[in-house]
Amino acid sequence: MAKENDEERQQTDLHGNPVDNEDDEDEQELNDFNEEMPWYETKGGYRRDVMSSLFQKAVRRSDDETAAFAAWELVRSGPKYESHYWSRAILVCVEDLVAGNEATEHVLRYEELAKNRWEDNGWARRLCAIAAALVCARAQPSRETTHANGYFSNTMVDRARVKQDDDHEPLYEPPVSEEELDPDGEIGFVTVDKHTYPGAGKGRGWPHFRLHGARIGPHEDTVLGKKFRRRVLEYDRPEYSYREPEVAFSEEEIEHALEPTAEDDPWRCEFDTMDTLDEFDDEN
């Protein structure tokens, strides 16, 4: 079983030999030069914060060798350094790699192996750290999440300033304007449906949702997905509906519901019978 206190792990020297620390738990750690090791330095004499930064910058540049070295240096320097490395490695997966990458799962697995299966094996723990670093450095780098956070934050601060200062001109607007999000706006027409209070207040029921809110794009659904969706829509008629009274969809409406949204404008709706839909929504 893993020890609850990482401080109990056996320390090793540059050559992997165990360091006897049983005589004095407060004994100062020694670096590779047989000198007392300050808390902020690694065994190789590097600053811990610099080595941590080196790891992250190497991942961003896909420099797998440098990333692996930085990980190894941190982990071999002691339990606190090792804990710091694993925390940074997970952060790197979210901050510096493209969303949806598989690196996070691998890093978490390597961390679990290091801390549980091989808690008493410094050599194996170092291998886990190196493997995790290689996974990160070989994944597709991207700072999109970090930049999105900064962009959205600044935009909303700028937006609030406009309401307080009539002379202030915002640099950027949010991706969705208030006009677009209005219940009758281009985006609001789809978004403000029966699942929202204002949409329900406008009488937008299941027909509106099925023909607009449930569409996907720009890629078509699978063959089986389209088959299932068509049959659901064909069942939505008074003689077959088992949830609530419905009005049968026309073939034109069904084709619209099955058509993928446009790649260049995913919210655009060129369906000509929206007024008719609103009419029978109000009847339900």
Side-chain angles (χ1 to χ4, degrees), residues 2 31 44 55 60 63 75 112 132 149-150 172 175 194 210 218 232 235 237 239 247 266 270 279 283:
N31 61 21
F55 163 69
R60 291 175 187 171
D63 185 348
V75 170
E112 190 274 333
N149 177 68
Y172 293 106
K194 74 178 299 294
R210 289 203 174 99
V232 166
Y235 260 119
R237 57 184 65 199
E239 63 268 34
V247 175
E270 298 176 345
E279 288 177 6
E283 295 175 0

Side-chain angles (χ1 to χ4, degrees), residues 67-78:
F69 168 72
W72 174 84
E73 176 64 15
L74 287 168
V75 170
R76 79 178 181 107
S77 296

Side-chain angles (χ1 to χ4, degrees):
M1 295 180 59
K3 295 183 177 67
E4 294 182 357
N5 187 350
D6 284 341
E7 297 291 341
E8 297 179 12
R9 293 178 180 169
Q10 178 67 59
Q11 298 300 299
T12 59
D13 62 17
L14 180 62
H15 306 289
N17 300 315
V19 175
D20 184 8
N21 58 2
E22 295 182 356
D23 295 334
D24 185 358
E25 294 182 356
D26 297 326
E27 183 179 354
Q28 180 70 43
E29 290 290 336
L30 300 180
N31 61 21
D32 295 341
F33 313 103
N34 206 31
E35 301 168 342
E36 289 189 355
M37 190 171 75
W39 64 268
Y40 56 85
E41 285 189 2
T42 66
K43 281 187 175 294
Y46 305 102
R47 285 191 61 95
R48 179 175 64 174
D49 53 354
V50 172
M51 197 56 45
S52 179
S53 181
L54 175 65
F55 163 69
Q56 190 163 10
K57 305 308 189 296
V59 169
R60 291 175 187 171
R61 289 156 176 76
S62 301
D63 185 348
D64 51 3
E65 181 179 7
T66 300
F69 168 72
W72 174 84
E73 176 64 15
L74 287 168
V75 170
R76 79 178 181 107
S77 296
K80 292 182 179 179
Y81 299 78
E82 183 176 2
S83 296
H84 173 80
Y85 164 72
W86 287 116
S87 295
R88 179 56 64 96
I90 292 298
L91 176 63
V92 163
C93 291
V94 178
E95 183 179 355
D96 299 304
L97 302 180
V98 68
N101 71 84
E102 298 179 354
T104 305
E105 295 180 8
H106 291 297
V107 171
L108 287 172
R109 177 55 175 158
Y110 283 128
E111 180 185 18
E112 190 274 333
L113 289 172
K115 291 183 175 180
N116 295 293
R117 179 178 291 272
W118 292 309
E119 74 273 15
D120 293 321
N121 188 329
W123 173 79
R125 293 203 312 276
R126 290 193 295 274
L127 295 191
C128 287
I130 292 172
L134 292 175
V135 166
C136 291
R138 291 170 180 172
Q140 180 180 344
S142 173
R143 298 268 292 161
E144 60 186 359
T145 56
T146 302
H147 296 323
N149 177 68
Y151 157 51
F152 294 151
S153 298
N154 291 331
T155 298
M156 297 310 287
V157 171
D158 212 19
R159 176 173 176 264
R161 183 179 173 185
V162 170
K163 293 184 178 295
Q164 300 167 353
D165 183 357
D166 294 336
D167 296 328
H168 179 68
E169 291 292 334
L171 184 60
Y172 293 106
E173 297 287 349
V176 180
S177 68
E178 295 183 18
E179 292 76 17
E180 291 173 322
L181 203 54
D182 181 87
D184 295 318
E186 181 182 27
I187 296 178
F189 176 75
V190 176
T191 306
V192 185
D193 61 6
K194 74 178 299 294
H195 300 96
T196 69
Y197 185 83
K202 291 182 70 68
R204 292 175 178 172
W206 284 111
H208 177 276
F209 169 73
R210 289 203 174 99
L211 297 193
H212 300 291
R215 293 178 67 201
I216 65 172
H219 304 292
E220 288 192 355
D221 203 344
T222 63
V223 173
L224 196 57
K226 291 177 66 175
K227 174 182 176 180
F228 290 158
R229 179 149 171 71
R230 169 174 281 278
R231 293 190 176 186
V232 166
L233 293 171
E234 290 175 342
Y235 260 119
D236 282 338
R237 57 184 65 199
E239 63 268 34
Y240 293 111
S241 179
Y242 303 107
R243 176 153 37 189
E244 61 183 73
E246 296 284 3
V247 175
F249 292 120
S250 67
E251 182 60 27
E252 182 184 9
E253 291 167 339
I254 292 176
E255 287 298 323
H256 170 74
L258 295 176
E259 181 185 9
T261 57
E263 184 172 7
D264 60 336
D265 186 1
W267 301 99
R268 185 176 69 239
C269 179
E270 298 176 345
F271 195 52
D272 295 329
T273 58
M274 289 185 289
D275 293 337
T276 304
L277 287 177
D278 286 339
E279 288 177 6
F280 75 69
D281 276 348
D282 292 336
E283 295 175 0
N284 292 335

